[in-house]
Amino acid sequence: MEFYDSRCFALWGDNKAGWVHSEGENGVEGVLSMWHKEAFEYSSHVKGRGFLAVTGVHTKLNCLCIVVDVYVACSLSDKAVMWEALSNIRRVNQNEVWCCCGDFNAVRSIEEMKGVRGFSSQKREIKEYNEFSDKNVLVELPIVGKKFTWYKSDGSAKSRLDKFLVSLEWLQMWPMSKQYVQPREVSDHCVVVAKSWVKDWGPRPFKTIDAWLSKFGFMDLVKGKWNNYEVQGNRMSKLKDKLKFLKGDLKE
């Protein structure tokens, strides 16, 4: 399918979408990556067999991100080519925030498939898939909803082919990230959405453990530390800073 601005704007819902398209091989494995221009500042992209990697800056957090959309063929040789290509890109971009997502057409364990024949022939594929994620320090987001993302038309077989693999840097930016499997509708694949819910509960409370109060010398320790803190500012500012310092000393 040919893509152009008006078609992508219609898919997105407004004209603030940026996009890049990879046609794949002979119309197969095509990938379309889209982003909101006010949230993501595009800088470059790399097209490869079975993937499309887009680099840019997350404008709100001002961090450099690489988002890789994956749609690879079933053959192990094609997957091996993709894993090697992504590993090479990862090797020279280790500090960026990484997210690999899409249809990997592979599972990482026997628990991710049911009713699928020929598991013994997939042992090598599972091993290489896990080696790819381990070598590049990519972890799968916790899953919410359905356990499987692909279903055979008659329901006799199902697998977890679609997922989000992210770097530790991603988890530092969005520690509450999860992947949500949506109901299956037109496709034999379920849509999978990654979200990070952050609830602002206000200032964090200062906490203690009751058992500390019964420990010999605890109150003397607190009083001694508290009286030795040198802080500046008004009363509330001093109280806040002293609690902060005391928290660190209690942990120690």
Side-chain angles (χ1 to χ4, degrees):
M1 178 184 292
E2 182 179 359
F3 285 91
Y4 40 85
D5 280 350
S6 60
R7 183 186 293 273
C8 290
F9 294 161
L11 287 171
W12 191 265
D14 60 39
N15 62 357
K16 296 181 180 180
W19 62 276
V20 62
H21 177 230
S22 174
E23 296 182 357
E25 297 288 333
N26 300 319
V28 181
E29 305 166 34
V31 177
L32 173 66
S33 294
M34 302 179 69
W35 58 88
H36 197 291
K37 291 181 179 179
E38 293 181 357
F40 185 81
E41 185 178 329
Y42 165 87
S43 60
S44 64
H45 69 271
V46 176
K47 296 181 181 180
R49 189 164 187 176
F51 73 90
L52 176 56
V54 179
T55 302
V57 175
H58 187 284
T59 54
K60 185 176 182 179
L61 298 179
N62 193 31
C63 62
L64 189 61
C65 302
I66 297 181
V67 180
V68 183
D69 286 317
V70 173
Y71 181 28
V72 67
C74 294
S75 71
L76 177 57
S77 59
D78 284 340
K79 295 167 193 171
V81 169
M82 182 191 72
W83 291 331
E84 181 63 26
L86 291 179
S87 295
N88 290 335
I89 297 174
R90 174 76 167 147
R91 192 175 299 117
V92 296
N93 297 277
Q94 294 186 6
N95 296 324
E96 281 78 356
V97 176
W98 268 73
C99 175
C100 293
C101 56
D103 181 5
F104 289 85
N105 243 319
V107 296
R108 300 181 64 195
S109 69
I110 187 173
E111 288 77 18
E112 292 188 350
M113 56 192 299
K114 189 173 183 179
V116 179
R117 298 178 180 177
F119 173 73
S120 58
S121 63
Q122 298 186 29
K123 288 184 178 179
R124 178 185 170 190
E125 178 178 280
I126 292 174
K127 178 177 179 292
E128 293 187 9
Y129 191 0
N130 287 315
E131 287 177 349
F132 159 74
S133 61
D134 292 343
K135 179 173 66 174
N136 293 289
V137 197
L138 297 173
V139 297
E140 184 177 355
L141 292 179
I143 191 168
V144 178
K146 294 178 178 293
K147 181 179 179 180
F148 304 102
T149 64
W150 170 85
Y151 292 81
K152 194 173 180 179
S153 57
D154 60 3
S156 61
K158 42 195 170 184
S159 298
R160 188 166 159 187
L161 305 179
D162 313 85
K163 61 188 61 179
F164 282 80
L165 300 177
V166 301
S167 64
L168 298 181
E169 291 80 10
W170 176 284
L171 293 177
Q172 291 173 350
M173 290 292 180
W174 298 283
M176 301 302 293
S177 294
K178 293 181 175 64
Q179 52 182 338
Y180 297 80
V181 181
Q182 307 299 302
R184 185 168 60 95
E185 296 180 351
V186 178
S187 173
D188 54 354
H189 288 256
C190 298
V191 174
V192 184
V193 180
K195 295 181 181 180
S196 179
W197 296 104
V198 179
K199 178 66 176 178
D200 184 6
W201 298 101
R204 293 184 178 180
F206 181 84
K207 298 179 180 180
T208 63
I209 298 176
D210 289 345
W212 291 350
L213 302 177
S214 62
K215 183 175 178 61
F216 178 77
F218 174 75
M219 291 306 299
D220 291 335
L221 170 69
V222 172
K223 289 178 181 178
K225 293 289 186 180
W226 189 270
N227 292 330
N228 287 328
Y229 294 142
E230 296 183 2
V231 294
Q232 304 296 324
N234 57 38
R235 290 182 179 181
M236 288 303 298
S237 176
K238 288 181 178 180
L239 176 62
K240 182 191 71 173
D241 289 342
K242 282 194 172 187
L243 287 173
K244 179 180 179 181
F245 293 144
L246 181 58
K247 178 180 178 181
D249 286 331
L250 290 179
K251 282 185 175 181
E252 193 174 310

